[in-house]
Amino acid sequence: MFALSGCAQVSGRPVAPASGSGEGELGPTRVQLDQLLASVRVVAARGHPGGYERGCKEGQRCVFGPSWTDDYAGPGGHDGCDTRNNVLSAQLIGVSFRPGTHDCVVTAGTLDDPYTGKRITFSKAEAGDIQIDHVYPLAAAWDMGAASWPLERRVRFANDIDVNLLATAANANQAKGDGTPSEWTPRANHCFYAGKYLTVAVRYDLPVTAADNAVLNDIARSCP
């Protein structure tokens, strides 16, 4: 379910996917998206401050912290389970866990993929088939303001299971890359995606570009 609060936020839990290209999809209403669009900052174009490096090997800058760390202040942080497994356990249905991991390591389940509209069976043996996407991409966030954040805030952003992380098919995640709405939109659930993207932007005071804003407004007009 989608809900707006004082900051015009959308729930982090994904909805069941729907087919189609905009009409009748599940997600926030046009009124809710209009509230988010009225709250988000808009800039002419994406900046390029340089210095972005996700890797955390020796000599790398590791600007958003180690991937899927449990060492951060925020939902799911310091709970003994890494962020990827937290997302899988929250967003898959019929989840099974590896014995002895205190319901942490997900070994099986089913994903209603919010980006492709397909139902995908997950197994630990084929774990790479489902990846975790940052709805507002890390590289884009860096360019749009996160470069000036303290590391602690960047680590929380990279592991925010409430608003910024979605399990999805590997091919969808790879096709999206670090694209923003003017460069990439999902096959299904456009209203849901727009609501998620805008919620992250509003919560973290990240802007959208004028081109992204135009696409998001077009999506909003298609929502019920």
Side-chain angles (χ1 to χ4, degrees):
M1 179 180 294
F2 286 80
L4 293 176
S5 64
C7 294
Q9 295 169 3
V10 179
S11 168
R13 182 72 63 140
V15 296
S19 61
S21 60
E23 297 293 332
E25 293 177 336
L26 300 176
T29 65
R30 178 173 179 174
V31 170
Q32 290 174 315
L33 285 177
D34 283 345
Q35 290 180 30
L36 287 163
L37 285 162
S39 301
V40 73
R41 291 189 294 118
V42 180
V43 296
R46 179 171 167 174
H48 295 285
Y52 174 74
E53 191 171 29
R54 174 63 166 148
C56 292
K57 295 179 181 178
E58 185 176 356
Q60 295 180 317
R61 298 191 67 211
C62 195
V63 297
F64 283 93
S67 297
W68 313 137
T69 181
D70 186 43
D71 186 16
Y72 68 96
H78 302 125
D79 68 351
C81 190
D82 65 272
T83 299
R84 174 179 164 84
N85 277 295
N86 278 336
V87 174
L88 293 174
S89 65
Q91 297 181 10
L92 271 60
I93 56 177
V95 175
S96 298
F97 298 96
R98 180 180 294 165
T101 65
H102 304 286
D103 287 350
C104 173
V105 178
V106 176
T107 58
T110 302
L111 174 68
D112 284 329
D113 188 348
Y115 285 167
T116 68
K118 297 179 180 179
R119 177 160 284 191
I120 304 171
T121 299
F122 172 83
S123 70
K124 187 67 173 175
E126 303 293 337
D129 290 349
I130 291 179
Q131 297 181 357
I132 309 301
D133 176 55
H134 292 92
V135 178
Y136 198 122
L138 297 184
W142 178 267
D143 290 345
M144 301 286 270
S148 65
W149 293 352
L151 179 59
E152 181 180 1
R153 180 172 174 83
R154 293 199 298 267
V155 171
R156 174 163 180 162
F157 177 84
N159 294 277
D160 192 331
I161 62 176
D162 277 357
V163 298
N164 198 30
L165 299 179
L166 286 178
T168 187
N171 58 357
N173 187 47
Q174 291 162 7
K176 177 174 181 279
D178 69 348
T180 60
S182 62
E183 300 162 320
W184 182 92
T185 55
R187 295 180 184 176
N189 294 329
H190 291 167
C191 300
F192 171 73
Y193 167 72
K196 291 286 289 182
Y197 195 92
L198 286 164
T199 294
V200 180
V202 170
R203 176 170 292 188
Y204 284 91
D205 192 29
L206 288 167
V208 299
T209 66
D212 291 337
N213 188 54
V215 169
L216 293 165
N217 270 280
D218 284 345
I219 292 173
R221 285 191 286 269
S222 76
C223 300

